[in-house]
Amino acid sequence: MSFAANRSAARTVRVKAPGKINVSLDVGPLRPDGYHSVASVYLAVSLYEEVAATSTETPGITISLAPGSTLDLDAVDIPLDSSNLAYKAAAIMADVSEHPTGVHLDITKRVPVAGGMGGGSADAAATLLACDALWDSGLSREELAHLAAELGADVPFSLLGGTAVGLGVGDKLSPALAKAQTHWVLVTADFGLSTPEVFRTLDRLRDAEGVAADEPTAVDPQILAALRGGDAEALSRVLVNDLQRASIELAPSLRDTLGIGEAHGAIAGIVSGSGPTVALLAEDSVAAAALAEDLGHQGLSALAVHGPVPGARIISDTLL
């Protein structure tokens, strides 16, 4: 990559991008390449990461975490070097942009780290869009989506937002016409789970049972129908996550969290992605708010959200 020194006024582009939950997640067998094919329904929800990209006189990429983050930044280990997904996103944009400057990325963290909600992927998606605007790269959303796919399976969806079906390793996205709102309570954990370790645990459990998983090729149409109609009751009957039992194997307390949620009014619950965030489905926004409050009284960290919401978008563009 080649950065130019910034000889004009500094500029900051701020972008927000949503976290996601997997309303369904079917996982196929381990493939020869070490990955698993999946069939999943992604739902972007109203818990957002924000990235403020500011041009700098010094070439290169730097990262900081904003004090406005709602996560306890002292309790999580977030790299601020080239291993950070947002850094990698900025580096890719620098490679494809004609006049990149140095850039500082200030990230506001709200999505749980290693929580199965794609927080790092949201940072990367926001960074792609912010740097595209900052450097006047002029890339289309489709071109940005191709770059997003190079960064990880969840990054294209955070760019897209809404509701989508993911096939392949989750990167083959098809938007789903499901705009009706559903309401959820997210129960976050004070620990993370490694996604590769959760997949390995699922493989081990299947091997021990002699279970041969089928290669997933489509999602359950009943899930899409329920989402299209915003029918929480119908959706509650078809939630599925093949990774859930592996997550519970690694973190048995998740079983208790699911049980407490349903005992306090959730009509269904599911571990989101590889966990450990638990997504509890509520009948409506009023029920979700009440459930989040009740769970807070139980000592759980709970937040009411809704979805679908749009993908990454610019919220300000300022000359400093």
Side-chain angles (χ1 to χ4, degrees), residues 80-99:
L80 301 180
D81 56 18
S82 60
S83 63
N84 188 295
L85 208 54
Y87 184 107
K88 294 178 181 179
I92 283 182
M93 285 304 303
D95 282 340
V96 301
S97 301
E98 290 187 14
H99 304 292

Side-chain angles (χ1 to χ4, degrees), residues 20-22 25 111-119 154 187-199 241-251 254 258 270-279:
K20 57 84 181 170
I21 58 176
N22 295 80
L25 180 55
V111 177
V113 175
M117 291 190 61
D154 286 343
V187 182
T188 59
D190 58 3
F191 60 90
L193 285 176
S194 160
T195 297
E197 181 62 24
V198 173
F199 274 95
N241 179 5
D242 283 351
L243 291 179
Q244 179 164 304
R245 64 190 186 118
S247 299
I248 291 174
E249 175 82 6
L250 293 168
L254 296 180
L258 289 163
I270 194 170
V271 173
S272 179
S274 57
T277 301
V278 168

Side-chain angles (χ1 to χ4, degrees), residues 105-119:
L105 307 174
D106 191 43
I107 303 175
T108 303
K109 298 292 298 178
R110 299 188 182 96
V111 177
V113 175
M117 291 190 61

Side-chain angles (χ1 to χ4, degrees), residues 16 24 80 92 95 107 121-122 129 132 139 156 179 190 230 236 251 257 276 284 306 312 314:
K16 72 177 188 177
S24 74
L80 301 180
I92 283 182
D95 282 340
I107 303 175
S121 297
L129 188 59
D132 175 67
L139 299 185
K179 296 183 179 181
D190 58 3
S236 72
T257 301
D284 52 34
H306 63 272
I314 296 171

Side-chain angles (χ1 to χ4, degrees), residues 16-290:
K16 72 177 188 177
K20 57 84 181 170
I21 58 176
N22 295 80
V23 177
S24 74
L25 180 55
D26 296 304
V27 179
L30 181 64
R31 306 189 318 196
D33 63 3
Y35 291 93
H36 297 74
S37 296
V38 302
S40 185
V41 178
Y42 298 111
L43 181 71
V45 296
S46 55
L47 184 61
Y48 300 94
E49 300 278 274
E50 287 186 19
V51 174
T54 302
S55 56
T56 63
E57 293 184 2
T58 305
I61 302 163
T62 55
I63 300 177
S64 61
L65 300 178
S69 301
T70 55
L71 297 185
D72 180 359
L73 297 179
D74 293 329
V76 294
D77 183 20
I78 300 174
L80 301 180
D81 56 18
S82 60
S83 63
N84 188 295
L85 208 54
Y87 184 107
K88 294 178 181 179
I92 283 182
M93 285 304 303
D95 282 340
V96 301
S97 301
E98 290 187 14
H99 304 292
T101 64
V103 63
H104 179 72
L105 307 174
D106 191 43
I107 303 175
T108 303
K109 298 292 298 178
R110 299 188 182 96
V111 177
V113 175
M117 291 190 61
S121 297
D123 295 338
T127 299
L128 289 174
L129 188 59
C131 289
D132 175 67
L134 190 68
W135 297 330
D136 298 317
S137 304
L139 299 185
S140 67
R141 277 280 175 153
E142 184 177 3
E143 289 170 321
L144 288 174
H146 284 302
L147 296 178
E150 296 180 25
L151 294 165
D154 286 343
V155 183
F157 176 69
S158 193
L159 198 62
L160 174 69
T163 308
V165 173
L167 300 176
V169 293
D171 58 332
K172 297 177 181 176
L173 290 178
S174 301
L177 298 176
K179 296 183 179 181
Q181 295 287 304
T182 50
H183 298 271
W184 305 78
V185 172
L186 304 177
V187 182
T188 59
D190 58 3
F191 60 90
L193 285 176
S194 160
T195 297
E197 181 62 24
V198 173
F199 274 95
R200 284 193 293 268
T201 301
L202 176 62
D203 293 335
R204 177 172 55 80
L205 291 172
R206 285 173 168 174
D207 288 343
E209 297 166 353
V211 173
D214 294 326
E215 196 77 11
T217 57
V219 299
D220 184 346
Q222 294 181 80
I223 295 172
L224 296 177
L227 286 169
R228 276 195 299 272
D231 188 338
E233 189 61 42
L235 185 60
S236 72
R237 296 191 292 268
V238 289
L239 296 179
V240 61
N241 179 5
D242 283 351
L243 291 179
Q244 179 164 304
R245 64 190 186 118
S247 299
I248 291 174
E249 175 82 6
L250 293 168
S253 62
L254 296 180
R255 182 181 288 109
D256 298 331
T257 301
L258 289 163
I260 292 170
E262 294 186 14
H264 283 81
I267 59 176
I270 194 170
V271 173
S272 179
S274 57
T277 301
V278 168
L280 300 169
L281 180 62
E283 290 183 3
D284 52 34
S285 60
V286 174

